Amino acid sequence: MIDYLIVGGGMAGCNMAYNLMKNGKTVHMIDEDSDHAASSIAAGIFNPLLPRHRKVAYNANLIYPMITPYYKEFETYLGQQILFEQPIQYFIETNSDLNDWSAMAYSTHLSHWIEVHNTRVPYEFKAPNGFLKIKHSGWVDAKLMGSLMKKKLQVANCFTNARFDYEMLNISDTEINYQHLKAKSVIFCEGKEVKENSWNKNISLKPAKGEILIIKTNLEINYIAQQGVFMAPLGNNLFKVGSTFSWDELDEIPTEAGRKEIIYKFEKFFRGEYEVVDHYAGVRPSSGDRRPILGPLQPYSNAFVLNGLGSKGVALAPYYSELLTQFLLKGDTIEKEVNTSRYKFEVQH
Ligand SMILES: Cc1cc2nc3c(=O)[nH]c(=O)nc-3n(C[C@H](O)[C@H](O)[C@H](O)COP(=O)(O)OP(=O)(O)OC[C@H]3O[C@@H](n4cnc5c(N)ncnc54)[C@H](O)[C@@H]3O)c2cc1C
């Protein structure tokens, strides 16, 4: 019997599998590999700063300083680079914003997170007011991470590339049965597709569609430029530029409106020559309160969830997959803001 059956192999499932295995547990992952999954589309950027709100993200002190060491260790395990230590340079819009940021960078808690620079940037950027260099920011190749992790699991016979059939699952107090597999517990990590999970009677998401362009331009930078949209270097003169947010049509089809919105925001700070060479769309598994969702799936004692990673899977997956692992192994507390217990379970009659 294996310890954990994991359903879903995106950021949530792969980080869960990695942390459980690091702690000596056995896992089997079932994932229908999809080029449309959020983890395959994501730009993979981690950024603790919320510039419009002039504050850092929820739990930033716990979550962000661990990201670089965590992914460095993970890439050693995977045997290939997945982490790119290219910080975000956030272009400051106005001179008055520059004054405000300068004051905040010296006299508030933001001094741990930002440096204000008023130095020259390449001609292609319209950035006369300097930029913030955001500490603990960078990007991870989430798609590569997922495919390397699943290959590792496959080689060890711990991976099935298939659609999980909820009808074939049996959860009893003592064990989980699925086809030929027997496990002590199951962890659901299906992202936005959790709505298809017939064992889930309470958790619902508020997914957000997002679009990204791949552009080609003759510019060499080793940072992520940002102002309204980001421009992240991929190498070979290619850059990811995005992204959009919409809550109406939750499909993976790129739209003309999405393309126009990205280009409009991009050209506000970029005046170089470029061409669009690709365009993707995906759906983020966001929760209604924008917090991750982890913990037991009520009313079962051996079914669990890691979901709701929203637009920050790369940043949130390390900390919260570790926390869920410590909850499972040692009973560590999961704070109420992110706990599945905030979704009321109603007994079905
Ligand atoms: C345009 C865009 C840009 C983004 N940019 C960033 C970014 O810069 N930084 C960042 O941190 N995040 C970003 N994100 C968000 C990030 O992609 C998500 O937070 C993260 O990928 C969520 O991971 P997940 O594992 O929860 O879900 P997913 O990636 O959706 O993975 C779920 C997996 O489960 C599988 N699955 C579901 N149901 C079943 C089933 N029944 N049987 C078998 N398999 C199943 C799916 O096929 C999929 O492989 C972006 C997202 C989008 C759409």
Side-chain angles (χ1 to χ4, degrees), residues 158-305:
C158 304
F159 179 75
T160 306
N161 181 0
R163 185 90 195 151
F164 187 83
D165 182 352
Y166 297 100
E167 298 281 309
M168 296 181 80
L169 177 68
N170 187 44
I171 302 180
S172 77
D173 287 345
T174 49
E175 64 184 37
I176 306 293
N177 287 282
Y178 182 76
Q179 297 178 339
H180 64 286
L181 292 166
K182 268 186 199 309
K184 291 180 190 159
S185 301
V186 58
I187 307 179
F188 294 112
C189 303
E190 309 103 318
K192 70 161 169 65
E193 290 179 55
V194 68
K195 65 179 189 312
E196 309 293 333
N197 183 341
S198 49
W199 295 83
N200 165 34
K201 302 276 187 260
N202 51 337
I203 292 165
S204 61
L205 298 177
K206 198 179 171 214
K209 178 172 176 176
E211 301 187 37
I212 287 187
L213 301 180
I214 306 293
I215 65 142
K216 192 166 195 178
T217 183
N218 276 333
L219 179 68
E220 282 197 16
I221 52 171
N222 61 358
Y223 53 85
I224 300 163
Q226 195 187 329
Q227 173 46 251
V229 287
F230 58 77
M231 176 188 187
L234 299 172
N236 299 323
N237 295 335
L238 295 173
F239 295 81
K240 275 193 178 177
V241 179
S243 53
T244 59
F245 281 80
S246 74
W247 290 266
D248 310 328
E249 283 166 13
L250 296 176
D251 57 36
E252 283 101 1
I253 304 169
T255 66
E256 193 48 35
R259 180 190 172 104
K260 278 189 179 149
E261 181 185 330
I262 296 170
I263 287 178
Y264 173 75
K265 290 181 178 167
F266 181 50
E267 291 187 355
K268 274 187 160 180
F269 74 81
F270 189 78
R271 61 178 150 218
E273 300 263 312
Y274 71 94
E275 62 174 312
V276 176
V277 296
D278 216 337
H279 183 183
Y280 309 104
V283 180
R284 306 171 181 90
S286 309
S287 64
D289 57 13
R290 300 211 219 130
R291 299 269 187 265
I293 304 166
L294 56 147
L297 180 70
Q298 298 177 60
Y300 310 103
S301 59
N302 46 5
F304 304 91
V305 173

